[in-house]
Amino acid sequence: MGNCVFCEIVKRVQSAYIIYEDDKVMVFLDKRPYNPGHLLVIPKEHYTDIFDIPDDLLAYLITIVKKMSNVVKNALNASGIRLVQNNESSAGQVIFHFHFHIIPYYDTIDFPTDKQSIADILRKWINETKGIPNH
Ligand SMILES: [Zn+2]
């Protein structure tokens, strides 16, 4: 889809700190994080919102959201995780390519908060656990 920044990230026309990808999904750091480690989980194929994403893809996506929530919780020692998913501009959707936000919360932040360091920590965690752990 033209002019879609997330499709451009999938095609690697735009850069992003990509944490995980497979044939269906991509996970990367939010460009303007609410908190350090704020992730976006998107389908690689372009769907606008909850109203047009197919059920089976949505079901798969939420399993990745769960796994990545565990990665953030454990790798960055988050005390809590907020999930956000906005549909239509009136509800705060800014990029019109379906996405989940994974927003971690912390009691204390004990890691470097620049994006490169966070990406390295998360990628290392996934590599060492040989895939995305469930818990
Ligand atoms: Zn798109």
Side-chain angles (χ1 to χ4, degrees), residues 12 25 27 93 132:
R12 282 165 163 87
V25 309
V27 182
Q93 186 173 12
I132 325 182

Side-chain angles (χ1 to χ4, degrees), residues 29-67:
L29 294 177
D30 194 300
K31 244 186 185 119
R32 294 185 202 86
Y34 187 80
N35 280 335
H38 179 169
L39 296 178
L40 300 179
V41 179
I42 69 164
K44 282 188 166 176
E45 199 172 332
H46 184 95
Y47 293 100
T48 305
D49 53 30
I50 195 80
F51 305 111
D52 74 337
I53 190 168
D55 288 359
D56 56 345
L57 182 57
L58 178 62
Y60 180 67
L61 225 62
I62 197 71
T63 67
I64 299 298
V65 168
K66 179 180 179 180
K67 289 175 178 181

